[in-house]
């Protein structure tokens, strides 16, 4: 800068760096947060899953319902689950009542250590007999097990409530949290913003898209299998329709063969039954297989999968994430496995190219190879699509 006397005055620029003590404090704070998240990791992951499933519904309802949209969105998800569990328990109680009145239950009671016929009628003798029975070590062990089960169930229900509450908080404040994070945490770090946006998009695709696709296929195939049983000639019934519907939904993740192997297996069972009963019924398994493999699969490929899941990730990655997650982490691995898969894949696609000074891969593609996805392998093997197509 030039002064009044024409002399050049040097201007010093001072760069202020955070003190080491603040870096240490920051590490301690994030360490505490990480420890808390790790302690409640199963329920945090469950809450994230509920959030991503409910988020598309919430964003559709928000313009009309405003602040009530998160609660309504969760009700649209939680209420059907509660109804399903209620129906399941009702069926289980009905089967238990039927068992209690059966001959097998009578034989079981006859072999049990407590003889119902010898229970005294006198109140004093009844209290004495009950006290003696409760002091038996085997009975005390059973009581301890029951208490542990009841306590564990109560704790699990309370943590599930916290997971739903966490999802409700995210549904209500997700956009505000995103703005706050960009302003105060990420700042001008374009790489971090791109990576986190890619992870968010991937989790939406996996949690909402693929999961709902699997459940939709389970429900639809269960209905179709039972409808076929209503019109089955010669009592050629599809066995265990609900179980086979669940297996059909899971096999949606298996590349190449996919659901077709389930249809073929059911058709083979029906064909064997037709040959044993009446060979003229052999047309029925062929009609079933053609309907499922052509008509139903075409509906899934044309309407269900593109609308719900898209093609953001190769189906093999999704399959291993869902299958290996529970094996590695337990019951919550079915949610944690896809989460880790998305974090790793998006890091390789978005962060690694920019760290090497290259442009990130466009369209979230990880490998320009031909894919053979379950629902679209007939089209993609001829068209030569990418390993991960575009998202929504």
């Amino acid at each position: 800068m030039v002064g009044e006397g024409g002399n050049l005055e040097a201007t010093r620029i001072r760069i202020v760096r955070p003190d080491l003590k603040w870096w240490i404090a920051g590490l301690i704070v994030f360490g505490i947060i990480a420890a808390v998240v790790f302690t409640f990791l199963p329920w945090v992951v469950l809450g994230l899953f509920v959030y991503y499933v409910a988020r598309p519904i919430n964003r559709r309802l928000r313009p009309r319902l405003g602040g009530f949209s998160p609660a309504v969105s969760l009700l649209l998800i939680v209420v059907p689950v509660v109804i399903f569990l209620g129906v399941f328990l009702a069926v289980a109680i009905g089967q238990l009542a039927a068992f209690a009145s059966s001959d097998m239950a009578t034989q079981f009671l006859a072999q049990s250590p407590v003889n119902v016929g010898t229970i005294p009628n006198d109140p004093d003798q009844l209290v004495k007999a009950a006290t003696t029975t409760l002091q038996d070590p085997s009975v005390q062990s059973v009581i301890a097990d029951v208490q542990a089960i009841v306590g564990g169930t109560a704790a699990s229900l309370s943590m599930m409530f916290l997971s739903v509450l966490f999802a409700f908080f995210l549904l209500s404040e997700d956009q505000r949290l995103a703005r706050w994070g960009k302003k105060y945490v990420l700042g001008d770090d374009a790489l971090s913003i791109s990576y986190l946006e890619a992870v968010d998009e991937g989790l939406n695709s996996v949690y909402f898209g693929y999961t709902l696709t699997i459940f939709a296929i389970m429900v639809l195939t269960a209905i179709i299998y039972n409808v076929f049983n209503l019109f089955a000639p010669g009592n050629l019934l599809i066995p265990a329709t609900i179980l086979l519907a669940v297996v059909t939904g899971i096999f949606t993740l298996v590349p190449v063969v996919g659901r077709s192997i389930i249809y073929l297996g059911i058709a083979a069972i029906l064909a064997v039954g037709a040959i044993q009963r009446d060979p003229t019924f052999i047309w029925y398994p062929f009609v079933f297989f053609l309907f499922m493999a052509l008509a139903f699969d075409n509906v899934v490929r044309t309407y269900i999968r593109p609308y719900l899941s898209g093609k953001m990730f190769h189906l093999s990655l999704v399959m291993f994430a869902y299958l290996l997650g529970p094996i590695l982490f337990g019951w919550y691995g079915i949610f944690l496995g896809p989460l880790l898969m998305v974090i790793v894949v998006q890091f390789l696609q978005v962060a690694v190219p920019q760290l090497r000074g290259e442009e990130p891969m466009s369209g979230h593609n990880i490998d320009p190879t031909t894919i053979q996805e379950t629902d679209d392998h007939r089209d993609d093997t001829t068209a030569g699509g990418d390993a991960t197509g575009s998202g929504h």
Side-chain angles (χ1 to χ4, degrees), residues 195 199 339-349 352:
Y195 173 64
V199 170
L339 172 63
L340 297 178
M341 184 270 293
V342 170
I343 290 175
V344 172
V345 171
Q346 299 297 57
F347 182 83
L348 295 176
Q349 295 179 140
V352 171

Side-chain angles (χ1 to χ4, degrees), residues 156-203:
S156 299
L157 290 176
S158 64
M159 296 307 297
M160 282 186 176
F161 174 76
L162 290 179
S163 296
V164 174
L165 194 62
F166 177 55
F168 176 81
F169 168 75
L170 292 179
L171 289 172
S172 303
E173 306 293 337
D174 54 355
Q175 296 180 358
R176 189 176 303 175
L177 285 173
R179 291 193 298 267
W180 179 86
K182 288 181 180 180
K183 181 177 180 180
Y184 294 103
V185 180
L186 300 178
D188 297 329
D189 190 351
L191 175 57
S192 298
I193 294 175
S194 298
Y195 173 64
L196 292 178
E197 287 178 349
V199 170
D200 177 71
E201 184 182 358
L203 289 176

Side-chain angles (χ1 to χ4, degrees), residues 22 51 58-59 65 75 96 98 105 122 124 149 158 167 211 226 270 278 287 302 309 321 338 380 389:
W22 286 110
Y51 162 71
N58 178 61
R59 291 185 176 177
L65 301 180
L75 287 176
L96 179 62
D122 184 63
D124 295 334
I149 293 173
S158 64
T211 303
N226 283 283
L270 295 177
D278 188 348
V287 170
T302 305
S309 63
D380 293 334

Side-chain angles (χ1 to χ4, degrees), residues 3-255:
E4 294 179 356
N7 295 328
L8 184 64
E9 297 180 359
T11 302
R12 294 182 179 180
I13 300 175
R14 184 182 179 186
I15 300 176
V16 180
R17 298 181 180 276
D19 294 335
L20 179 61
K21 61 182 180 182
W22 286 110
W23 286 108
I24 296 175
L27 290 176
I28 293 174
V29 170
F30 282 102
I32 294 173
I33 295 174
V36 172
V37 171
F38 181 78
T39 303
F40 298 98
L41 183 61
W43 311 107
V44 171
V45 177
L46 178 60
L48 279 176
F49 170 77
V50 175
Y51 162 71
Y52 276 100
V53 172
R55 189 173 72 175
I57 304 172
N58 178 61
R59 291 185 176 177
R60 287 180 177 270
L61 296 178
R62 183 174 292 172
R64 300 179 180 179
L65 301 180
F68 295 100
S69 60
V72 176
S73 302
L74 289 176
L75 287 176
L76 292 176
I77 296 173
V78 174
V79 170
V81 173
V82 172
I83 292 175
F84 171 79
L85 292 177
V87 172
F88 177 82
L89 289 176
V91 173
I93 293 173
Q95 292 179 350
L96 179 62
F99 171 78
S101 60
S102 63
D103 295 336
M104 185 180 298
T106 304
Q107 296 176 1
F108 175 78
L109 291 176
Q111 296 176 358
S112 66
V114 179
N115 190 351
V116 179
T118 60
I119 296 178
N121 296 324
D122 184 63
D124 295 334
Q125 295 181 356
L126 182 62
V127 172
K128 183 177 179 180
T131 303
T132 304
T133 303
L134 291 176
Q135 291 176 349
D136 188 277
S138 60
V139 175
Q140 290 183 350
S141 176
V142 171
I143 293 175
D145 293 339
V146 171
Q147 290 177 343
I149 293 173
V150 172
T153 302
S156 299
L157 290 176
S158 64
M159 296 307 297
M160 282 186 176
F161 174 76
L162 290 179
S163 296
V164 174
L165 194 62
F166 177 55
F168 176 81
F169 168 75
L170 292 179
L171 289 172
S172 303
E173 306 293 337
D174 54 355
Q175 296 180 358
R176 189 176 303 175
L177 285 173
R179 291 193 298 267
W180 179 86
K182 288 181 180 180
K183 181 177 180 180
Y184 294 103
V185 180
L186 300 178
D188 297 329
D189 190 351
L191 175 57
S192 298
I193 294 175
S194 298
Y195 173 64
L196 292 178
E197 287 178 349
V199 170
D200 177 71
E201 184 182 358
L203 289 176
N204 183 74
S205 175
V206 171
Y207 280 158
F208 178 77
Y210 285 101
T211 303
L212 287 191
T213 299
I214 293 171
F215 280 105
I217 291 174
M218 286 181 182
V219 172
L220 290 176
T221 51
I223 295 173
I224 293 173
Y225 294 164
N226 283 283
V227 169
F228 266 94
N229 280 348
L230 292 177
F231 300 97
N235 202 27
L236 290 177
L237 301 179
I238 300 174
T241 54
I242 303 299
L243 177 61
L244 287 175
V246 173
V247 174
T248 305
I250 294 174
F251 265 69
T252 300
L253 298 174
V254 179

